[in-house]
Amino acid sequence: QVQLVESGGGLVQPGGSLRLSCTASGRSMFSIYTMGWYRQAPGKQRELVANIYSGGPTNYANPVKGRFTIYRDNAKNTMYLQMDSLKPEDTAVYYCNRYPHTSMWGQGTQVTVAS
């Protein structure tokens, strides 16, 4: 069974940066899957932030275009989300999952953008 573990969240001031990591363990075929980062803000539905295909092409949600970068290292079974120019509205729990997502969600990592 594949497990996805998110890390790298924290408290950051507006305009700051964070890098999130998502590592797959277990019997993983990580390298062939399209993967995505999702987030859920308080009182809101979970939403897709960005996704990346196995070969590298990416897509971004409009609110994060130009500020976030998704990339992956298949040799390490790890996906990343570089978040720059963070805004308070980016505050959320961030999750990784396949894209389209499965029903198996990890614990996520909390990102809080506040002064």
Side-chain angles (χ1 to χ4, degrees):
Q1 184 176 354
V2 177
Q3 286 187 317
L4 298 172
V5 178
E6 304 93 344
S7 63
L11 172 64
V12 64
Q13 292 186 340
S17 298
L18 283 174
R19 189 182 77 160
L20 307 183
S21 299
C22 168
T23 301
S25 61
R27 297 181 62 185
S28 172
M29 299 177 69
F30 177 85
S31 63
I32 69 170
Y33 293 143
T34 299
M35 297 296 297
W37 280 103
Y38 302 78
R39 68 184 180 186
Q40 187 168 21
K44 295 187 177 181
Q45 289 190 333
R46 198 170 306 182
E47 62 179 1
L48 177 69
V49 174
N51 65 281
I52 183 168
Y53 293 86
S54 60
T58 58
N59 290 299
Y60 295 91
N62 285 335
V64 307
K65 281 183 180 178
R67 300 188 297 120
F68 290 11
T69 303
I70 186 173
Y71 60 104
R72 64 196 296 169
D73 185 338
N74 288 336
K76 295 182 178 180
N77 283 354
T78 301
M79 175 178 67
Y80 303 94
L81 185 68
Q82 177 66 41
M83 306 187 295
D84 299 315
S85 302
L86 282 161
K87 303 176 180 180
E89 50 264 44
D90 296 317
T91 295
V93 179
Y94 285 71
Y95 302 87
C96 63
N97 203 323
R98 290 173 59 179
Y99 176 80
H101 65 78
T102 70
S103 60
M104 297 295 291
W105 294 97
Q107 292 188 338
T109 186
Q110 175 71 48
V111 172
T112 303
V113 185
S115 54

